[in-house]
Amino acid sequence: GPQKRVGPIVRLVINKKMRWVIFCGYPSKLEPDRSVIWNGYYQDVTEQKLAEEELLNSEAYNKMLFQESHRPLVVYDLENGFIDCNPAAVKAYGLSSREDVIGKTPLDVSAPSQYDGTDSQTAILEKHQTVLEHGVTSFEWRHQRANGEIWDAMVYLMLFNDRGKQLLQFTLDDI
């Protein structure tokens, strides 16, 4: 039997309004001039198309906010280390590029110990536990730049899910 065909999504003006539609139909008859008569329908997909465009615009907007922020922002995967950062984070850590930050862990950018004398590795595990339990936390933290310089920051840590994976996003304020 004839196979159903689905055409491309096209923009049309219907009742003086711009709409997105897609054609779905079956070839029903071959004319003597070799043209084809189709039986089918147009489906209005305007709402889906507008939602898709809004999502793309939203993603671009959020990416721009992330990249252009003057505050260091880092996305951290507990299993794989830092997976994203903005240029402000690269600068704060005293590194040359985003690629230099990717794969690092909080321990790699921390001073050996924190204000109360706790070694940073133990303190990091405590902060991870707090954010996993509460979703957000903030604290002062001693960092260490690539050149060895110690610097202090207020850290705002937030847990979020992305495609079923738990990630942490943190923002730094140099204090």
Side-chain angles (χ1 to χ4, degrees):
Q3 273 194 313
K4 180 178 180 180
R5 302 280 171 101
V6 177
I9 297 175
V10 295
R11 282 187 349 186
L12 299 174
V13 176
I14 302 172
N15 296 330
K16 298 182 182 178
K17 292 184 179 178
M18 186 64 68
R19 306 301 293 175
W20 291 93
V21 297
I22 189 167
F23 174 76
C24 301
Y26 299 91
S28 65
K29 182 179 178 188
L30 182 63
E31 294 289 301
D33 67 356
R34 312 271 312 144
S35 62
V36 177
I37 303 289
W38 288 80
N39 288 330
Y41 60 92
Y42 283 96
Q43 180 178 352
D44 187 333
V45 293
T46 302
E47 297 307 315
Q48 296 96 308
K49 187 70 174 170
L50 292 175
E52 178 183 300
E53 288 176 354
E54 187 174 318
L55 179 62
L56 289 173
N57 289 338
S58 172
E59 288 174 355
Y61 179 76
N62 287 330
K63 189 68 173 174
M64 186 270 306
L65 287 177
F66 181 81
Q67 289 299 324
E68 300 299 322
S69 176
H70 296 286
R71 296 173 86 185
L73 301 168
V74 179
V75 178
Y76 173 41
D77 178 340
L78 291 170
E79 295 172 13
N80 300 307
F82 299 163
I83 59 171
D84 201 1
C85 70
N86 67 355
V90 174
K91 183 177 177 183
Y93 291 135
L95 296 167
S96 301
S97 69
R98 177 182 175 275
E99 290 70 30
D100 292 337
V101 177
I102 303 304
K104 292 203 179 312
T105 68
L107 190 59
D108 295 326
V109 295
S110 296
S113 63
Q114 293 304 308
Y115 299 105
D116 63 0
T118 304
D119 68 280
S120 289
Q121 186 165 0
T122 300
I124 288 167
L125 294 174
E126 291 170 5
K127 301 305 180 193
H128 287 172
Q129 189 61 39
T130 300
V131 77
L132 291 172
E133 288 174 13
H134 301 287
V136 295
T137 188
S138 60
F139 48 90
E140 291 183 7
W141 194 259
R142 296 181 70 218
H143 289 80
Q144 188 167 353
R145 291 192 171 91
N147 67 4
E149 177 188 353
I150 303 293
W151 62 286
D152 300 322
M154 188 69 188
V155 177
Y156 302 93
L157 189 58
M158 175 186 76
L159 179 68
F160 70 100
N161 285 303
D162 181 51
R163 293 169 275 195
K165 187 158 187 68
Q166 283 192 326
L167 300 174
L168 301 176
Q169 185 261 322
F170 57 90
T171 305
L172 305 172
D173 282 335
D174 191 333
I175 55 172

